[in-house]
Amino acid sequence: MYGAVYGDLIGSLYEYREFLSRDVKRMIKASEESELLSDECFISDDTILTVAVRDAFINRKPYDETLRKYILEHSEPLNREGYFEYMFSPNIIKCARENMCGNSMGNGAIMRISSIPEASKTMVFMLNEVMNATRPTHNSPSAIKAALCVSIIIYLAKEGIPKDRIKQMIDARYKYDYNFNLDTLRENMKFNKTCDDTMPLVLYVIFNTNSFDEAMRMMLSLGGDTDTNCAIVGSIAEALYGMDDSLKSKVDLYLPDSYQKVLKTSAKLM
């Protein structure tokens, strides 16, 4: 799950600019920086909800109540220059303020669940937990499908299943079309918002790279919803390739103490 936070951080500087206007050259240049983390990076909703889901999972709290708490703690205007007015979308804030029953198809369903497969002993238990963590805000077939797909990749990687075998299993079960040409993909990219738009990008990157750093750089270079895209790829790439402790220590510098505590608390395998 540190991979998800790292992805959120490196994508945070570009999401709003990509939302306003796609810029292929800007994103390729950004992905080629010697260090992807900079002083200007900041955590966004992707990190907040990754921590919320882990908090609920390791402390056996209801997912809906925990998600509501974290969302409402960050529901006021940000007053951040050159960024969105709010940390969360109006629909998610409304969902948190009312009955926590949302049917969103947005890609926010995918980026927050990485801690569950990391700490699950059985796939059946894990899949049930992922659905419980997804349904309060993203109770749509496409969102649940995407969240389960990502969680299965992470779970299988944790179990040591080779990546080519994982690819075969995912292709057979989920039927996402990600048969892209990289240059054409970059030129035709749009700002992706939904799970169905996002999953082909994620799978293309994961199955066409061979290290944590390579995966993060390719995903960043594509642009679009940069922080969420990189958070999802980061969570999978960490499971596949590992993540250096030195990089995790750098990530800690951007996190409040309370978030570090949640992320560092050992989860009892369920």
Side-chain angles (χ1 to χ4, degrees), residues 153-166:
I153 297 173
I154 295 172
Y155 182 88
L156 294 175
K158 178 197 72 172
E159 294 296 302
I161 305 300
K163 191 170 70 170
D164 59 349
R165 178 61 181 144
I166 294 174

Side-chain angles (χ1 to χ4, degrees), residues 51-69:
V51 173
V53 168
R54 181 167 175 80
D55 186 3
F57 181 70
I58 64 176
N59 293 304
R60 310 313 297 155
K61 301 176 182 177
Y63 288 107
D64 56 349
E65 293 178 10
T66 308
L67 289 166
R68 176 187 286 116
K69 173 181 177 292

Side-chain angles (χ1 to χ4, degrees), residues 33-262:
E33 294 287 341
S34 59
E35 294 287 340
L36 299 182
L37 278 176
S38 71
D39 292 341
E40 290 75 32
C41 292
F42 56 92
I43 61 171
S44 74
D45 56 328
D46 305 286
T47 293
I48 294 166
L49 294 189
T50 294
V51 173
V53 168
R54 181 167 175 80
D55 186 3
F57 181 70
I58 64 176
N59 293 304
R60 310 313 297 155
K61 301 176 182 177
Y63 288 107
D64 56 349
E65 293 178 10
T66 308
L67 289 166
R68 176 187 286 116
K69 173 181 177 292
Y70 278 78
I71 293 167
L72 292 181
E73 286 175 350
H74 298 275
S75 62
E76 298 303 316
L78 289 174
N79 297 316
R80 181 189 291 274
E81 186 177 353
Y83 194 65
F84 300 100
E85 185 177 0
Y86 294 92
M87 183 69 76
F88 291 96
S89 71
N91 286 338
I92 294 298
I93 293 174
K94 181 181 179 182
C95 184
R97 287 176 174 165
E98 295 179 0
N99 60 4
M100 284 302 286
C101 183
N103 296 312
S104 174
M105 296 182 290
N107 55 15
I110 323 172
M111 50 73 175
R112 68 197 197 194
I113 50 82
S114 55
S115 65
I116 298 176
E118 285 182 357
S120 295
K121 290 178 71 173
T122 70
M123 187 175 289
V124 171
F125 173 83
M126 181 269 292
L127 294 175
N128 185 63
E129 288 294 306
V130 168
M131 286 190 287
N132 289 339
T134 303
R135 284 174 172 151
T137 55
H138 291 72
N139 194 20
S140 67
S142 63
I144 292 172
K145 172 187 174 183
L148 293 177
C149 180
V150 168
S151 69
I152 288 172
I153 297 173
I154 295 172
Y155 182 88
L156 294 175
K158 178 197 72 172
E159 294 296 302
I161 305 300
K163 191 170 70 170
D164 59 349
R165 178 61 181 144
I166 294 174
K167 182 179 185 300
Q168 291 174 357
M169 296 168 72
I170 293 300
D171 289 349
R173 181 165 185 158
Y174 287 102
K175 310 297 184 183
Y176 287 110
D177 182 7
Y178 56 96
N179 186 27
F180 301 124
N181 170 276
L182 181 57
D183 292 334
T184 303
L185 177 58
R186 284 198 177 110
E187 291 296 333
N188 293 298
M189 265 288 293
K190 298 179 180 177
F191 191 90
N192 56 297
K193 297 180 181 179
T194 69
C195 290
D196 285 345
D197 289 338
T198 302
M199 281 304 301
L201 305 176
V202 169
L203 295 177
Y204 176 84
V205 169
I206 286 299
F207 293 128
N208 286 279
T209 54
N210 294 295
S211 70
F212 182 86
D213 186 64
E214 185 186 5
M216 302 312 298
R217 289 179 184 276
M218 181 184 285
M219 189 74 259
L220 186 63
S221 77
L222 292 177
D225 189 359
T226 53
D227 59 345
T228 299
N229 295 343
C230 289
I232 300 164
V233 166
S235 67
I236 300 172
E238 180 184 8
L240 284 169
Y241 308 116
M243 183 176 174
D244 288 345
D245 287 341
S246 61
L247 192 53
K248 293 180 182 179
S249 295
K250 291 180 181 178
V251 168
D252 279 335
L253 300 177
Y254 298 84
L255 296 171
D257 290 344
S258 59
Y259 283 20
Q260 290 186 49
K261 182 178 180 181
V262 171

